[in-house]
Amino acid sequence: MHNTIAIICDCDATLAPDTTEFLLRENDIDPGEFWEDVDKNFVQKGWDPPQAYLYKILKMMNDDKIKQDTPEKIHRLAKKIKPYNGVNSFIKELQEYVSEDPDCVKSGINIEGYIISAGLEDLIGACSFAEQFKDIFASNYSLDSKTGRYNAIRSTVTFTEKTKFLYAINKGIDKINLQRYPYLVNNSIRKDLRRIPFGNMVYIGDGPSDIPCFSAVRSNGGHCIGIIGAKEPKRAYELVMGRRTNYGIYSSNYSKDSDLRLVLKTIIDEVARKISCEGSS
């Protein structure tokens, strides 16, 4: 029986304001000008967007325009990032809910949290909310062994590559093993032997970069929740018009009494009932 529910979240503008833009502002760099330059001088010339922005940030680190050029400095900066209301505890509180609710206890379900993001793993992983999540899949730089500074792009997370991590979660492959054996995710595993079925997945995202994940999760019987960002409501509108999600759009309020938390509990209850029925059949 598949008893694990995976709550899988994008990060930037989903759990917290854009972490990359926070890094830029802390170094007196205008995010609007930064993204305009990335688009004009890289993306429009054929660069993949995540590769382009990571390259430009690395160059700014090398030019001393961005001071946080080591993991330690990035981690200190991450402590300043303030997530949206309720984000710091919502996974833990949902885990408590399923451990106490009679129907959930009967079904034996448990909850795991995951983040899939094109942002910097070192930055996201040191945020106040990160400890709730079992794995964080995001972009990385490599380090110079002598100086300890970032010196090259090690991995990027593109829009479509996000789905690779969905299948890793589905098949029970953790981040460490996926990094060591990247082709492991392509192994054929019978659906009934996969650790977390797509029907037990809840994907939460805010914009176009989440569309491949929305499509993969929804088309396989999972649950997709759209989040509206205060700065870019048009992105949420596009998700609704494209029927990318099957829940929402909701505001980014994860506190106990919010509409978002209510729909999360509703999904959990629905999965619990399904598991109970499968167990009794």
Side-chain angles (χ1 to χ4, degrees), residues 87-99 111 128-129 131-132 261:
V87 167
N88 275 341
S89 58
F90 85 106
I91 294 290
K92 290 180 179 178
E93 289 166 357
L94 289 173
Q95 288 168 336
E96 290 171 2
Y97 171 71
V98 301
S99 71
I111 289 176
S128 57
F129 52 82
E131 64 175 12
Q132 299 175 94
R261 281 289 288 275

Side-chain angles (χ1 to χ4, degrees), residues 72-176:
E72 293 76 20
K73 293 176 183 178
I74 285 285
H75 292 168
R76 286 198 294 270
L77 179 71
K79 303 304 180 186
K80 299 181 182 180
I81 294 174
K82 295 182 179 179
Y84 296 135
N85 190 27
V87 167
N88 275 341
S89 58
F90 85 106
I91 294 290
K92 290 180 179 178
E93 289 166 357
L94 289 173
Q95 288 168 336
E96 290 171 2
Y97 171 71
V98 301
S99 71
E100 297 170 356
D101 178 79
D103 291 332
C104 291
V105 171
K106 181 181 177 181
S107 66
I109 64 172
N110 64 89
I111 289 176
E112 293 175 355
Y114 296 87
I115 292 175
I116 302 176
S117 173
L120 281 172
E121 183 179 326
D122 281 343
L123 187 56
I124 296 169
C127 288
S128 57
F129 52 82
E131 64 175 12
Q132 299 175 94
F133 294 88
K134 180 179 176 65
D135 265 330
I136 297 174
F137 302 100
S139 302
N140 283 287
Y141 291 122
S142 64
L143 299 175
D144 185 296
S145 59
K146 294 181 180 179
T147 66
R149 298 178 66 185
Y150 296 120
N151 65 353
I153 299 170
R154 189 175 73 181
S155 65
T156 59
V157 177
T158 63
F159 305 156
T160 54
E161 193 180 37
K162 282 187 168 187
T163 60
K164 175 180 78 175
F165 303 113
L166 290 180
Y167 281 96
I169 295 167
N170 170 237
K171 296 178 179 181
I173 305 167
D174 62 27
K175 180 177 68 178
I176 293 174

Side-chain angles (χ1 to χ4, degrees), residues 205-233:
D206 73 289
S209 69
D210 299 302
I211 287 174
C213 283
F214 281 142
S215 178
V217 171
R218 187 176 181 184
S219 64
N220 284 286
H223 312 268
C224 300
I225 301 176
I227 298 295
I228 186 169
K231 292 186 177 180
E232 296 189 73

Side-chain angles (χ1 to χ4, degrees), residues 48-67:
D48 192 79
Q51 186 87 8
Y53 100 81
L54 288 167
Y55 172 82
K56 184 168 177 60
I57 284 182
L58 183 60
K59 189 175 186 305
M60 287 180 158
M61 289 176 179
N62 292 335
D63 293 341
D64 207 30
K65 293 179 180 178
I66 292 180
K67 306 297 183 183

